[in-house]
């Protein structure tokens, strides 16, 4: 699970200025220590993300013997020793295993309980008598709301109503109710260079969930293929017809929209997209060729390609093979003419939205869509068809069935190499969107 953590605020640090004759009292000594703590925390928060460093495992245990009878039930867990670091860089050290009872009760419906740990500043605790040394400590808590920024999740459990008997999951990847779920624990990791958010232009149809699933598959691949960037896996949905969703759109780096939606945009929707483009947003327009008027040409092309493969090593059929090759060339020319017509239509709309008026849309070799972070001499092939990509400013136009190849599509049985190539091309598009937004925001 990818979670976005905010960067530190650019606030100045105050340091104690020491010179001869300075009287050191408790307040000034505390000022010096506070500076070093803040500096260490700021350094960590700038370069890393919070999470668990080691240990802090969670297991189900019987109720301890020294507990009152009314609390001897199946709600006990043990938290192992370990180390975590919170959002602002505070170390959370659990020196020895801790027993913990989950007290939350589900009434009619199941509830989701989070077990979290947080740092406790010992200076804010009440002390009976002053000490020259105080130990930093922590607090373990259960809650039914999502963990706060300064809390580190240890586990979560879906509690059922009635008598609760916790247990370890039979399958750690698919825990059931009343079982410890460790899948969403955040591990300490380096902070990514960029965070990318995607939204789709909602069609208010079942297609929205299908497209969102494709995009989620792409975002899930980012962490493994390009760790320097992170994708927020929750895909937003924006209704361009609702003017009040303007701010929601501006929160995302990339907007996915189908070709049919794009060519039927109203004047009001075009104005919204113009503003989105000015803030650095990228609009990804995708055309599935099988939904166009030349889908029959594509079918003929694929059939000719398969037939030629059968005649590849047959010298006696050389004449037929040459005839098929000529037919394939003519079919490709017809397809290219149709693509040119569609491309011209999209280009006219793109020029209304984006400020780049003279671009042909061709992705040249030095273009970041071809070489950042992955190098593409040829764009990916999906079902023997090369995906075609064009770009005008903040508009990226894709002709090809590429988005279904970003995940495990039920209607397509694609080899791993095809999926990986499509994902790497998708990451290039995400990188382009995040980088364009970053550079344009620096100029606002």
């Amino acid at each position: 699970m990818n979670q976005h953590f905010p960067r530190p605020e650019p606030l100045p640090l105050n340091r104690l200025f020491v010179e001869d004759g300075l009287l050191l009292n408790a307040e000034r000594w505390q000022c010096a220590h506070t500076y070093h703590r803040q500096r260490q925390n700021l350094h960590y928060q700038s370069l890393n993300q919070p999470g668990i460093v080691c240990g802090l495992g969670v297991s189900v245990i019987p109720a301890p013997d020294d507990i009152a009878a009314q609390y001897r039930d199946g709600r006990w867990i043990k938290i192992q020793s370990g180390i975590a670091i919170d959002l602002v860089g505070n170390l959370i050290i659990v020196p020895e295993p801790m027993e913990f009872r989950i007290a939350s009760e589900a009434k009619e419906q199941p509830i989701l309980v989070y077990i979290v740990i947080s740092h406790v500043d010992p200076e804010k605790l009440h002390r009976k008598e002053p000490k020259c040394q105080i130990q930093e400590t922590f607090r373990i808590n259960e809650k039914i709301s999502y963990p706060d920024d300064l809390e580190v999740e240890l586990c979560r459990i879906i509690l059922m109503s009635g008598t609760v008997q916790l247990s370890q999951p039979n399958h750690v990847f698919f825990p059931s109710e009343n079982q410890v779920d460790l899948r969403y624990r955040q591990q300490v990791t380096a902070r990514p260079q960029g965070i990318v958010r995607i939204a789709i232009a909602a069609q208010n149809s079942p297609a929205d969930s299908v497209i969102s699933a494709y995009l989620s598959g792409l975002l899930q691949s980012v962490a493994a293929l390009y760790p320097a960037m992170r994708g927020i896996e929750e895909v937003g949905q924006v209704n361009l017809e609702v003017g009040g969703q303007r701010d929601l759109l501006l929160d995302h780096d990339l907007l996915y929209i189908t070709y049919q939606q794009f060519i039927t945009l109203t004047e009001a929707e075009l104005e919204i997209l113009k503003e989105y483009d000015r803030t650095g947003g990228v609009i990804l327009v995708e055309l599935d060729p099988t939904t166009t008027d030349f889908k029959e040409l594509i079918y003929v092309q694929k059939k000719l390609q398969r037939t030629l493969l059968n005649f590849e090593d047959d010298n006696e059929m050389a004449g037929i093979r040459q005839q098929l090759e000529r037919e394939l060339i003519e079919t490709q020319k017809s397809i290219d003419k149709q693509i040119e017509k569609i491309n011209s239509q999209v280009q006219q709309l793109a020029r209304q939205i984006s400020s780049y008026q003279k671009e042909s849309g061709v992705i040249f070799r030095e273009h970041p869509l071809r070489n950042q972070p992955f190098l593409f001499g040829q764009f990916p092939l999906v079902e023997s068809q090369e995906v075609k990509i064009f770009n005008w400013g903040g508009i990226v136009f894709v002709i090809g069935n590429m988005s279904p190849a970003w995940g495990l599509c039920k209607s397509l049985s694609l080899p791993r190499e095809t999926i990986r190539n499509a994902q790497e091309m998708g990451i290039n598009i995400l990188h382009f969107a995040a980088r364009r937004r970053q550079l344009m925001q620096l100029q606002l």
Side-chain angles (χ1 to χ4, degrees), residues 92-96 98 117-120 136-140:
I92 304 171
I93 301 175
V94 180
E96 58 186 21
M98 302 284 296
I117 190 169
S118 57
H119 174 265
V120 175
E136 293 192 346
T137 184
F138 58 89
R139 179 179 294 111
I140 297 173

Side-chain angles (χ1 to χ4, degrees), residues 58-61 77 166-172 175 178-180 182:
V58 181
S59 58
V60 177
I61 61 171
I77 59 175
L166 299 180
S167 64
Q168 297 297 127
N170 299 323
H171 197 311
V172 292
N178 294 335
Q179 293 185 342
V180 175
L182 303 173

Side-chain angles (χ1 to χ4, degrees), residues 70-310:
Q70 67 186 88
Y71 299 118
R72 291 181 189 169
D73 50 25
R75 292 172 163 267
W76 287 87
I77 59 175
K78 177 182 283 187
I79 298 167
Q80 303 296 333
S81 61
I83 301 174
I85 304 179
D86 68 14
L87 175 64
V88 296
N90 291 316
L91 281 168
I92 304 171
I93 301 175
V94 180
E96 58 186 21
M98 302 284 296
E99 296 165 344
F100 187 86
R101 181 182 181 272
I102 298 175
S104 299
E105 295 277 357
K107 295 181 180 179
E108 296 180 358
Q109 298 295 327
I111 59 172
L112 178 59
V113 176
Y114 300 90
I115 307 302
V116 298
I117 190 169
S118 57
H119 174 265
V120 175
D121 188 346
E123 295 180 5
K124 297 180 179 180
L125 296 176
H126 175 71
R127 296 188 299 275
K128 294 182 179 180
E129 56 184 29
K131 294 182 179 180
C132 61
Q133 286 189 348
I134 51 177
Q135 187 177 79
E136 293 192 346
T137 184
F138 58 89
R139 179 179 294 111
I140 297 173
N141 193 20
E142 64 175 289
K143 56 192 303 185
I144 58 174
S145 59
Y146 193 78
D148 298 333
D149 286 342
L150 295 180
E151 295 172 332
V152 177
E153 179 180 338
L154 299 180
C155 73
R156 58 181 66 176
I157 303 171
I158 298 177
L159 290 183
M160 303 298 289
S161 58
T163 303
V164 172
Q165 179 60 58
L166 299 180
S167 64
Q168 297 297 127
N170 299 323
H171 197 311
V172 292
F173 290 106
F174 305 101
S176 300
E177 296 82 3
N178 294 335
Q179 293 185 342
V180 175
D181 187 349
L182 303 173
R183 295 175 297 172
Y184 300 94
R185 289 157 54 105
Q186 293 283 344
Q187 296 296 133
V188 165
T189 183
R191 181 177 286 276
Q193 297 175 12
I195 301 289
V196 62
R197 299 173 181 83
I198 298 180
I200 66 170
Q203 305 176 62
N204 300 319
S205 72
D208 291 343
S209 60
V210 174
I211 295 171
S212 294
Y214 296 157
L215 295 171
S216 293
L218 173 62
L219 292 168
Q220 289 172 17
S221 71
V222 173
L225 298 180
Y226 188 58
M229 184 171 68
R230 288 285 189 277
I232 302 300
E233 292 179 13
E234 182 180 354
V235 177
Q237 293 194 15
V238 177
N239 191 335
L240 295 177
E241 297 177 355
V242 180
Q245 295 202 342
R246 165 191 167 277
D247 292 340
L248 177 62
L249 173 61
L250 297 181
D251 285 339
H252 295 83
D253 304 289
L254 184 141
L255 175 69
Y256 176 97
I257 185 170
T258 65
Y259 166 75
Q260 290 298 330
Q261 288 175 285
F262 190 70
I263 62 175
T264 57
L265 289 170
T266 65
E267 288 296 326
E269 292 169 344
L270 283 172
E271 287 300 319
I272 293 174
L273 293 184
K274 284 181 185 178
E275 182 180 4
Y276 182 62
D277 174 80
R278 286 194 296 269
T279 62
V282 168
I283 303 165
L284 174 61
V285 184
E286 186 179 43
L287 169 63
D288 179 359
T290 61
T291 63
T292 62
D293 295 337
F294 61 93
K295 61 182 178 181
E296 293 182 0
L297 289 173
I298 294 175
Y299 173 78
V300 171
Q301 183 189 49
K302 290 181 178 180
K303 192 171 182 179
L304 288 170
Q305 290 171 340
R306 288 194 296 266
T307 305
L308 280 170
L309 288 175
N310 295 332

Side-chain angles (χ1 to χ4, degrees), residues 366-385:
E366 293 76 20
H367 196 288
L369 284 171
R370 275 201 187 271
N371 56 37
Q372 293 182 14
F374 300 106
L375 186 65
F376 281 90
Q378 179 189 39
F379 289 131
L381 292 172
V382 179
E383 293 187 300
S384 303
Q385 288 289 126

